[in-house]
Amino acid sequence: MGARSAGFPYRAVLTGASGGIGAAIARQLAPGCALLILVGRNRAALEGLRDELKSCPVHIVCGDLTDPRTLSAIETAARSLGGINLLVNNAGVSDFHAFASQSPDVIATLLATNLLAPMLLTRQLIPVLMAAPAAQVVNIGSVFGMIGFPGFAAYCAAKAGLKGFTQALRRELADSAVEVRHFAPRATRTAINSDAVGAMNRALKTAEDTPEQVAAAFLRFLDANGWQRTLGAKERFFVLLNQLLPALPDGAIRAQLPIIRKHLPK
Ligand SMILES: NC(=O)c1ccc[n+]([C@@H]2O[C@H](COP(=O)([O-])OP(=O)(O)OC[C@H]3O[C@@H](n4cnc5c(N)ncnc54)[C@H](OP(=O)(O)O)[C@@H]3O)[C@@H](O)[C@H]2O)c1
């Protein structure tokens, strides 16, 4: 039995729903949902998305995920609307910058948003998820959580932490009805990537997906077994190489450093 059939129809909380990948997931997930709770900071974007989604009841929680009041508001909504069986921790921020000159506030925000917030939201919602006959938590990581890349040290650290959290909690809850899973996109054309990142990706010939492609792969992942999925055959090969023979990616990425440095913000 696939993970999807275990929790279908979905009663889902989706963070980062106002963003590129989140909105695409919301559109493709809605037909399979009995409830969709959309979370983000941009109320107008969330309301616009809700008006589009006619196929299931949609509720909005507008707030900053680094604020404990937002986590409480999500829990209250999930309980008062009859419970949930899916949590998608998708909200995230990035900052392409040389680490030595990256602002400490930005580093703290990267860790708070990409690592601590999904951990604390998951913690808060576990009792609600446990009340469902079968449920899952899906953490949206990144290929950069498995391959450290120059200019993204803090982002990579947060995403690597998220993957470690996913695996540990998955094992901790292995004898419960809550599955904890990890889905890692590769570069995707959304607002999270600055113009400098877009230009660097083109210069490095880095493959980029559209949010719609990522959402379609996410829906297939929900339907399948296996606790993790990384998008892109070449990226999966590099992740494996990075685990088994890290000196090879060390050399390849070192050769790319002049191009990466050229695009780093001054
Ligand atoms: N795009 C890529 O190249 C790529 C590659 C690998 C992984 N990912 C991951 O995919 C996920 C989605 O990214 P995306 O590309 O769709 O980026 P995006 O378009 O910038 O969307 C990011 C979303 O996160 C929300 N968010 C950020 N900080 C928040 C906070 N403090 N509180 C509440 N919501 C917050 C944003 O809400 P507001 O709009 O309301 O601020 C927005 O909805 C992220 O976890 C990202 O790391 C992206």
Side-chain angles (χ1 to χ4, degrees):
M1 188 167 65
R4 177 185 180 123
S5 44
F8 195 79
Y10 294 118
R11 304 180 59 80
V13 168
L14 170 65
T15 71
S18 47
I21 291 174
I25 288 177
R27 289 186 186 102
Q28 295 189 31
L29 191 61
C33 282
L35 170 69
L36 196 42
I37 300 176
L38 305 177
V39 184
R41 292 172 298 187
N42 183 337
R43 181 172 292 283
L46 293 174
E47 288 177 349
L49 185 60
R50 180 185 59 193
D51 293 346
E52 257 183 65
L53 303 175
K54 308 283 182 212
S55 51
C56 80
V58 176
H59 183 87
I60 287 173
V61 176
C62 189
D64 190 321
L65 284 161
T66 63
D67 182 340
R69 287 172 299 185
T70 305
L71 308 189
S72 296
I74 297 169
E75 183 191 350
T76 301
R79 286 188 188 280
S80 66
L81 295 166
I84 55 161
N85 57 19
L86 174 63
L87 165 62
V88 185
N89 282 311
N90 165 72
V93 286
S94 181
D95 182 54
F96 176 54
H97 212 283
F99 184 67
S101 58
Q102 195 169 35
S103 129
D105 285 348
V106 169
I107 294 168
T109 299
L110 286 166
L111 290 169
T113 310
N114 297 338
L115 179 57
L116 193 56
M119 289 174 69
L120 294 180
L121 180 59
T122 302
R123 178 192 161 280
Q124 190 132 2
L125 292 182
I126 282 175
V128 191
L129 291 160
M130 289 274 190
Q136 50 178 319
V137 175
V138 183
N139 292 321
I140 305 295
S142 168
V143 166
F144 278 3
M146 294 168 277
I147 300 178
F149 201 81
F152 291 94
Y155 179 81
C156 291
K159 290 295 188 181
L162 188 65
K163 181 154 193 217
F165 166 67
T166 307
Q167 186 178 62
L169 188 65
R170 171 175 183 75
R171 290 173 176 167
E172 187 171 317
L173 299 184
D175 56 358
S176 81
V178 180
E179 270 206 87
V180 187
R181 309 173 76 206
H182 185 260
F183 178 83
R186 61 180 179 180
T188 309
R189 273 177 237 117
T190 72
I192 205 170
N193 294 317
S194 62
D195 290 347
V197 173
M200 179 183 71
N201 284 345
R202 285 189 293 280
L204 295 175
K205 300 190 171 35
T206 303
E208 283 183 316
D209 289 320
T210 64
E212 291 71 28
Q213 288 171 318
V214 175
F218 177 81
L219 267 283
R220 289 194 294 276
F221 173 71
L222 276 188
D223 206 6
N225 291 311
W227 77 277
Q228 61 171 329
R229 177 79 183 155
T230 303
L231 297 190
K234 192 174 160 196
E235 287 75 6
R236 281 193 294 277
F237 174 71
F238 272 109
V239 167
L240 186 65
L241 202 62
N242 200 40
Q243 284 166 347
L244 300 177
L245 298 165
L248 294 179
D250 274 356
I253 293 171
R254 190 191 166 110
Q256 294 178 326
L257 262 181
I259 295 179
I260 298 167
R261 287 228 171 87
K262 200 176 124 198
H263 291 90
L264 274 171
K266 300 288 172 257

